Structures are given as C-alpha cells and as structure tokens.
Amino acid sequence: MATSRRVSRVSELIKREVSQMLLSGIKDDRVGTGMVSVTDVDVSGDLQHAKVFVSIYGSDEAREETMAGLKSATGYVRSELGQRVRLRRTPEVIFVEDRSIERGTRVLSLINQLSQDRKPDDAAAEVDQDADDWEQDLVGAEDEDED
C-alpha cells in the first residue's frame, strides 16, 4: 500500500500527462468535438486503478461523442502512461465525466438572477431605514452622556 503522499503525487503526475495527451496525443476526432479538460484524478491506494475526471464543454451530443472517444482511447492512454511514468505497474485508466463546473455555473447564475429580481427600491429603503435607526441611537447616546 502506497502512502497518501505518494498517491497524491502519482495522481498529479497522471493528471498532467493525460492533459498533455488530450492536447496532442489522442488522434480520435470524437475527442476534439467538445472542449475537454482533466479536472481531477483519483488513484487507488495500491496504484492499480486511476479514475480520470474530465469536464467537457459543449452540447450533450458532443459530450457523448467525446466520452465514447475517450473510452476507445483508454488502451492508448494506458500504454502512453506506462512509457512516460515510471511505475512498477501502470494503473488501469477509467474516464468519468465531471459535471461539477457546470453545476457551479448554474448555481451562480441562479444567485445572480435572484439578486437582480430583488427590487432595488426595497434595498434602498432598507438601507435608509437602517441609517435612520443608527442616527437615532447615536443621538440618544449623546443625550444620555450630557445628563
């Protein structure tokens, strides 16, 4: 069993190498239909399995084509990793689609929409009321100090 520090180092190394392969190594046209980026790599404790999480920007059809292309290129990616990374055994590579960036963007757009839907007059009136309350408290405190 490898230490957690070694697992994280191997994970980062695999992430870098697979990203490099996506840019120039994989010749499958299906991989190029959507913009692909490696978001994370999860390596098992025995360094035998590696889940490569990829984020794909594009339509649903482009995502499906890209995932099909990545799954067909798994053997090539594993053999290239074996040549580029010095490990006793090359881990088995599994590509998994990561939609966390898409979900985060959707949440941010919903928050922005809610803040825009809020009436600006209500917010201004609320600030004015808070300022009046603060001013009255300040004047009341000065009157007590004079007594």
Side-chain angles (χ1 to χ4, degrees):
M1 194 90 168
T3 62
S4 63
R5 185 175 174 187
R6 179 155 188 237
V7 169
S8 64
R9 283 178 37 212
V10 169
S11 173
E12 286 299 316
L13 186 60
I14 290 174
K15 180 179 177 182
R16 185 173 8 140
E17 293 298 329
V18 171
S19 296
Q20 199 65 19
M21 281 184 244
L22 286 173
L23 288 175
S24 61
I26 299 175
K27 303 288 186 216
D28 194 342
D29 291 336
R30 295 178 291 180
V31 176
T33 58
M35 192 171 78
V36 183
S37 63
V38 178
T39 56
D40 195 20
V41 175
D42 186 21
V43 178
S44 64
D46 59 357
L47 304 176
Q48 297 297 311
H49 303 281
K51 283 185 187 175
V52 179
F53 294 92
V54 292
S55 178
I56 304 167
Y57 184 76
S59 66
D60 288 336
E61 184 179 305
R63 282 190 189 124
E64 290 174 11
E65 285 184 29
T66 303
M67 284 305 294
L70 287 173
K71 286 183 182 176
S72 70
T74 301
Y76 169 76
V77 170
R78 186 174 182 196
S79 67
E80 280 293 311
L81 277 176
Q83 292 174 5
R84 296 180 186 193
V85 180
R86 294 316 239 158
L87 292 172
R88 185 171 292 158
R89 284 197 51 166
T90 305
E92 182 179 332
V93 177
I94 301 168
F95 287 101
V96 180
E97 186 177 0
D98 185 10
R99 292 193 170 208
S100 61
I101 295 173
E102 181 181 314
R103 284 194 303 268
T105 303
R106 187 167 187 275
V107 168
L108 284 175
S109 68
L110 288 174
I111 290 172
N112 288 337
Q113 183 181 359
L114 285 174
S115 67
Q116 289 176 355
D117 288 348
R118 207 169 172 210
K119 294 180 183 172
D121 297 335
D122 292 344
E126 208 173 288
V127 169
D128 288 342
Q129 182 64 33
D130 288 343
D132 290 341
D133 291 344
W134 180 75
E135 195 172 311
Q136 288 175 356
D137 289 342
L138 187 62
V139 171
E142 287 177 356
D143 290 341
E144 288 177 10
D145 288 343
E146 289 177 7
D147 290 337

